[in-house]
């Protein structure tokens, strides 16, 4: 039986006091998509506003990115469904890619939080990579406890942000996750690092996007 994964992607094209161009980080959609697609897993796309999803850091020299850029899937992504019209219980997993865009319209977004709660409460996998774990902040399963409290997670580190977008982001993701009680860990800058804590799977940075998808496939196969 075909498994289905919903990518929840940003609609934000700029961020911060300097109006830095942003969107989703292209590799963090293209690489997981390639891994999931080759495994026969169906991928659909939603975003807070629906429709166009701006992107950042496209590298045409990367075969996976070029292939995705030229694919029907990329065209579908740019006609993404409105998150309010999607029920995450209809999927086996959700995946929130990073880039700086999510720090604008994904983080602490009530629609995104509802989507995460719905997925979690219906025994689906919740996954996010790089800045994508900002989606987990402020999520409450109904008992007043932060969703990430006591959970093992990763995400873009303070050390990585120092050289990347420190002046553009509204807060440090690592610090915000720790503040809500997450057991945060990281590897060296830009090195792959994926943390699996039950049905919650997080990746640290762009290099972690494909490994995260592989961990998700392994988890879905175990569940089958």
């Amino acid at each position: 039986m075909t498994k289905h994964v919903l990518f929840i992607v940003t609609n934000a094209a700029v961020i911060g006091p300097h109006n830095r161009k942003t969107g989703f980080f292209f590799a963090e959609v293209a690489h997981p998509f390639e891994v999931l697609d080759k495994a026969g897993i169906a991928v659909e796309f939603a975003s807070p506003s629906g429709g166009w999803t701006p992107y950042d850091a496209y590298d045409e020299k990367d075969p996976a990115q070029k292939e995705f850029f030229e694919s029907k899937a990329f065209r579908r992504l740019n006609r993404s469904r409105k998150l309010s019209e999607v029920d995450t219980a209809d999927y086996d997993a959700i995946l929130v890619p990073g880039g700086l865009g999510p720090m604008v319209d994904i983080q602490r977004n009530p629609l995104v939080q509802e989507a995460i709660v719905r997925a979690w409460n219906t025994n689906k996998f919740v996954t996010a990579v790089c800045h994508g774990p900002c989606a987990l902040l402020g999520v409450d399963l109904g008992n007043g406890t932060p969703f990430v409290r006591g959970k093992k997670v990763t995400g873009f580190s303070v050390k990585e942000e120092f050289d990347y977008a420190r002046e553009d982001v509204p807060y440090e993701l690592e610090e915000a996750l720790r503040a809500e009680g997450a057991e945060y860990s990281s590897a060296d800058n830009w090195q792959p690092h994926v943390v699996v804590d039950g049905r919650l799977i997080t990746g640290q940075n762009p290099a972690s996007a494909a490994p995260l998808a592989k961990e998700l496939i392994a988890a879905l196969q175990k569940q089958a």
Side-chain angles (χ1 to χ4, degrees):
M1 189 177 294
T2 302
K3 299 288 186 181
H4 294 78
V5 176
L6 180 71
F7 284 38
I8 300 176
V9 184
T10 180
N11 296 113
V14 294
I15 186 172
H18 310 292
N19 291 319
R20 177 171 173 156
K21 178 184 176 294
T22 190
F24 68 84
F25 201 86
F26 205 88
E28 292 169 22
V29 171
H31 289 174
F33 177 83
E34 179 185 47
V35 171
L36 296 169
D37 188 54
K38 285 184 175 175
I41 293 172
V43 174
E44 291 185 27
F45 304 99
S47 61
S49 301
W52 181 62
T53 54
Y55 62 86
D56 192 16
Y58 170 61
D59 180 4
E60 66 178 6
K61 294 176 183 173
D62 175 354
Q65 291 188 49
K66 189 170 189 295
E67 184 176 344
F68 182 70
F69 187 78
E70 295 170 352
S71 71
K72 292 175 183 175
F74 181 66
R75 294 204 298 275
R76 289 202 311 276
L77 169 59
N78 283 291
R79 294 191 297 273
S80 63
R81 298 178 67 189
K82 274 189 180 178
L83 190 55
S84 60
E85 298 172 357
V86 174
D87 185 350
T88 50
D90 293 338
Y91 299 85
D92 299 286
I94 58 174
L95 190 156
V96 185
L100 298 179
M103 299 285 275
V104 177
D105 67 344
I106 296 284
Q107 61 100 26
R108 303 189 187 278
N109 180 318
L111 281 176
V112 176
Q113 293 176 342
E114 287 171 19
I116 290 169
V117 170
R118 176 74 168 153
W120 192 259
N121 286 342
T122 54
N123 295 311
K124 315 303 183 185
F125 289 89
V126 172
T127 75
V129 63
C130 200
H131 289 86
C134 72
L136 307 175
L137 296 170
V139 173
D140 177 357
L141 296 179
N143 58 5
T145 302
F147 174 69
V148 296
R149 182 176 293 173
K151 290 186 174 68
K152 296 179 175 66
V153 303
T154 188
F156 206 60
S157 70
V158 169
K159 290 186 296 181
E160 287 169 318
E161 200 72 272
F162 185 85
D163 292 324
Y164 184 65
R166 183 177 50 156
E167 295 181 356
D168 302 294
V169 293
Y171 54 84
E172 293 286 355
L173 178 57
E174 174 184 340
E175 292 175 355
L177 289 166
R178 291 185 188 276
E180 292 197 5
E183 295 180 18
Y184 176 92
S185 67
S186 63
D188 290 338
N189 288 6
W190 306 100
Q191 296 303 303
H193 180 61
V194 177
V195 174
V196 180
D197 189 348
R199 290 184 290 112
L200 178 63
I201 306 175
T202 48
Q204 180 178 331
N205 47 33
S208 309
L212 178 143
K214 290 173 184 174
E215 290 287 357
L216 175 56
I217 290 168
L220 288 168
Q221 287 172 341
K222 271 187 201 173
Q223 192 186 56

